[in-house]
Amino acid sequence: MEENSAAQAVESTVEETVQSVGQLQQFLQDRMPDMIAFGIRVLLALLVFFAGHQLIKWVRKLVRRSMERAGSDTGIRQFVDSLMKYGLHILLVILIANSLGVESASVAALLASGGVGISLALQGSLSNLAGGFLILILKPFVVGDYIIEDTYKNEGTVTEIQIFYTRLATVDNQTIVIPNGTLANASLTNMTNMDYRQLNLRVSISYEADLRTAKKLLEELLLEDDCVMKEREHNVFVDSLGESAVVLGCRGWVRTEDYWPTRWRLLEAIKLTLDDNGIEIPYQQMNIHIKGGEKV
């Protein structure tokens, strides 16, 4: 009996397996044309995507060259190129979806129904996009300017103005990426927007030093430096009388690109010149007077 039961179980399993294979075979036979047609559509969609990607690159290159010949600002060229890159690729994906049988009305209905959620999810990106447009319209800075973002104290030379963000290059060759929304809504300092900058130095000398001699030496240094503009106002004055030093101010005008080299060069020359002429630059110290004894 047990042997007959086992044989019947094996026979039943074999029949079920054969029946399943037959059903699968029948399903493949019925659906094979549709699967082949869908596979062909997917392959064509991939070919269209790659062809469209190359076409978009060619269009972007053509637009960049046209804007370069027209003398457009570098930041505007970068922003328009970034906008075309994202916009044309989104349009390409929608066209491919239509080719796969997804109707435009369905896509529009889906976008409309999910509009609120999409808006909330992309709130930061939309803010950055609007900030990019404001930067291009108001021009608080352009590519090549050195800016300081006052909120987080990020600073550097503007290298790119993209659709959502702006890139800065620091003096030690690091890259800072700042969202356009932050730059559009926060205050910033543009260090290179003007052609000229005022050089404003402070030098401390001891109270025992000859004030007239020190001022004369500083005036000569300003006049001898080739980068200090002689046709603009430059002067040396007593800025303040400190607790342990007389603070002299030196002001002159230089071209913006010469500001830092001139500042460094003059500070070094001032130190060496004052040392050579015996004029002390004091440092923080404390004199203690002992009652009935000599000063220490």
Side-chain angles (χ1 to χ4, degrees):
M1 294 292 294
E2 293 181 357
E3 292 180 357
N4 293 334
S5 298
Q8 291 176 357
V10 171
E11 183 178 357
S12 176
T13 302
V14 171
E15 290 179 354
E16 291 178 357
T17 303
V18 171
Q19 185 178 3
S20 299
V21 171
Q23 291 177 351
L24 177 61
Q25 184 177 6
Q26 184 63 38
F27 175 80
L28 292 176
Q29 290 178 352
D30 294 339
R31 299 298 181 181
M32 185 62 68
D34 294 336
M35 295 174 63
I36 293 175
F38 181 76
I40 292 175
R41 287 202 302 270
V42 171
L43 181 61
L44 290 176
L46 292 175
L47 293 176
V48 170
F49 177 80
F50 287 114
H53 177 69
Q54 295 300 320
L55 180 60
I56 290 173
K57 290 175 62 176
W58 178 79
V59 171
R60 290 170 56 200
K61 185 177 181 180
L62 183 64
V63 172
R64 284 198 302 267
R65 288 181 176 178
S66 299
M67 297 182 70
E68 288 174 359
R69 287 195 296 268
S72 301
D73 180 72
T74 303
I76 294 177
R77 295 202 301 267
Q78 293 174 345
F79 186 87
V80 171
D81 181 66
S82 180
L83 187 62
M84 291 181 60
K85 175 182 176 182
Y86 289 103
L88 291 178
H89 276 93
I90 291 174
L91 179 61
L92 177 61
V93 170
I94 293 175
L95 291 176
I96 292 175
N98 288 337
S99 69
L100 291 176
V102 180
E103 297 181 359
S104 301
S106 301
V107 176
L110 179 63
L111 293 177
S113 61
V116 176
I118 292 173
S119 298
L120 292 175
L122 298 179
Q123 184 176 3
S125 298
L126 294 176
S127 174
N128 293 332
L129 177 61
F133 280 110
L134 288 176
I135 289 172
L136 292 180
I137 294 172
L138 301 178
K139 290 186 180 297
F141 57 83
V142 296
V143 173
D145 282 348
Y146 190 95
I147 65 173
I148 301 175
E149 184 267 314
D150 295 338
T151 302
Y152 301 101
K153 302 303 179 183
N154 294 310
E155 61 180 278
T157 302
V158 180
T159 58
E160 287 185 72
I161 303 176
Q162 294 288 338
I163 184 173
F164 295 118
Y165 58 83
T166 294
R167 290 181 182 270
L168 306 182
T170 63
V171 293
D172 55 350
N173 204 30
Q174 298 184 51
T175 298
I176 301 177
V177 179
I178 304 179
N180 288 335
T182 300
L183 292 176
N185 296 320
S187 60
L188 58 88
T189 303
N190 191 329
M191 305 296 291
T192 54
N193 186 50
M194 306 301 290
D195 294 332
Y196 307 105
R197 285 188 65 182
Q198 186 182 70
L199 192 66
N200 199 349
L201 305 178
R202 296 289 184 271
V203 182
S204 298
I205 63 173
S206 67
Y207 276 95
E208 290 77 15
D210 189 329
L211 178 59
R212 293 184 177 87
T213 301
K215 289 182 63 177
K216 181 180 179 181
L217 292 172
L218 295 180
E219 289 172 354
E220 290 175 352
L221 288 175
L222 287 177
L223 291 173
E224 291 172 359
D225 195 284
D226 294 334
C227 291
V228 177
M229 303 176 67
K230 309 304 183 294
E231 65 275 13
R232 284 178 169 262
E233 180 184 6
H234 54 277
N235 54 2
V236 178
F237 54 93
V238 177
D239 184 71
S240 63
L241 300 176
E243 294 181 357
S244 59
V246 178
V247 181
L248 300 180
C250 303
R251 286 181 179 173
W253 290 87
V254 297
R255 296 187 65 83
T256 300
E257 60 268 22
D258 297 329
Y259 177 83
W260 287 108
T262 305
R263 180 182 178 88
W264 298 330
R265 184 172 58 251
L266 278 177
L267 287 174
E268 180 178 351
I270 288 171
K271 175 64 170 66
L272 295 175
T273 301
L274 295 183
D275 287 347
D276 292 341
N277 288 271
I279 297 177
E280 179 186 0
I281 299 178
Y283 52 89
Q284 292 291 334
Q285 56 184 326
M286 179 181 295
N287 291 331
I288 302 176
H289 297 268
I290 301 177
K291 187 175 183 180
E294 63 175 340
K295 182 175 70 173
V296 179

